Amino acid sequence: MAQYPFGNDIGWTREDYARALETDALIIRQQLGFPETMPDLPENPNVNLPEGFQSLPEWTPDPVD
């Protein structure tokens, strides 16, 4: 949200949002019956793109008035 200040009406920092997302993820994991922490998975540097893929669409959020 720091890159879209018009959408941050409660004054949170990036760290505040990161903590909130971590807490939400923990709650969801508990509700689904998963372990509290994610396993330490190895990073996969390969990305398989669909044939003919050129780029992601351009998108900019509309400011909320």
Side-chain angles (χ1 to χ4, degrees):
M1 293 306 291
Q3 61 268 45
Y4 304 114
F6 52 80
N8 182 3
D9 62 352
I10 57 176
W12 281 14
T13 65
R14 285 180 180 252
E15 292 77 21
D16 294 330
Y17 280 106
R19 278 194 305 276
L21 288 173
E22 288 172 10
T23 301
D24 290 347
L26 174 63
I27 292 168
I28 291 168
R29 292 183 63 76
Q30 289 173 338
Q31 290 178 344
L32 294 173
F34 294 129
E36 288 187 13
T37 57
M38 287 285 294
D40 189 19
L41 301 173
E43 184 176 324
N44 182 353
N46 300 317
V47 177
N48 298 320
L49 298 174
E51 188 174 323
F53 179 83
Q54 296 294 317
S55 67
L56 295 172
E58 291 294 323
W59 179 80
T60 304
D62 294 327
V64 177
D65 292 326

